[in-house]
Amino acid sequence: EIVLTQSPGTLSLSPGESASLSCRASQRVYSSYLAWYQQKPGQAPRLLIYGATTRATGIPDRFSGSESGTDFTLTITRLEPEDFAVYYCQQYGDSPYAFGQGTKLEIK
Amino acid sequence: EVQVVQSGAVVKKPGESLRLSCQISGYGLSRYWIGWVRQVPGKGLEWMGIIYPRDSETRYNPSFEGHVTISADNSITTAYLQWSSLKASDTAIYYCARHVSLAAFDVWGRGTLVTVSS
């Protein structure tokens, strides 16, 4: 069973800055099947990135995903006020398709 | 446009049974799965399991297997999440989402709040 560990737990930044969110897998993720989701209060999660690096439909190019071995990164450049939310990674290569515990991106 | 429509909020007592529904519309019968995700208020997302409506193949998170049952009716593109005996610890929001093999959960429902209290 793959365990995903996200860091940091909370990230405090200002609009216009760049954010780097980490997701480390306990073992290799099959076929880079790693997704990132954004969740705002009172809303369902929204898919941002799948396949570790592919943006979902309608996601601005300020959001990008990268992969290095078992380390995955979500980078958000030029932070907008609407980007402050909780972000989760999820691996969907081997069942159970676990989520990470989340990173809260808050306004500094 | 693909839509995921979930049943409404419910309040139940411990020991009662419950079945939640999730219908996917706006998309033909095709090769996708339907999954369930739990979120206890104020906490993170927990993957419960997924089902392939075409043949009802199901994959469970071991943490939930035996306590919930995931099923589907392919003719009406609807999936279900069922408990035979609820516990107070089942109080949570339950999300349903379409799972596409290459793209994970790409379309989500709005969630169903389940409150279990005596």
Side-chain angles (χ1 to χ4, degrees), chain A residues 10-28:
Chain A
T10 302
L11 185 57
S12 300
L13 293 170
S14 300
E17 292 188 303
S18 294
S20 182
L21 286 65
S22 173
C23 175
R24 174 165 291 177
S26 60
Q27 56 188 276
R28 178 184 167 273

Side-chain angles (χ1 to χ4, degrees), chain B residues 57-102:
Chain B
E57 178 184 348
T58 309
R59 300 173 185 174
Y60 286 97
N61 181 334
S63 298
F64 292 93
E65 190 165 17
H67 184 53
V68 299
T69 301
I70 296 172
S71 60
D73 184 335
N74 194 38
S75 64
I76 54 173
T77 59
T78 298
Y80 304 97
L81 179 64
Q82 185 170 333
W83 294 259
S84 58
S85 180
L86 286 160
K87 304 175 182 178
S89 57
D90 293 317
T91 295
I93 298 170
Y94 293 87
Y95 291 103
C96 169
R98 185 179 76 165
H99 176 99
V100 179
S101 294
L102 297 181

Side-chain angles (χ1 to χ4, degrees), chain A residues 15-52:
Chain A
E17 292 188 303
S18 294
S20 182
L21 286 65
S22 173
C23 175
R24 174 165 291 177
S26 60
Q27 56 188 276
R28 178 184 167 273
V29 175
Y30 176 77
S31 284
S32 300
Y33 282 169
L34 190 287
W36 289 94
Y37 302 88
Q38 176 193 68
Q39 187 179 33
K40 297 179 180 179
Q43 296 185 16
R46 175 174 71 145
L47 178 66
L48 299 175
I49 301 285
Y50 63 91

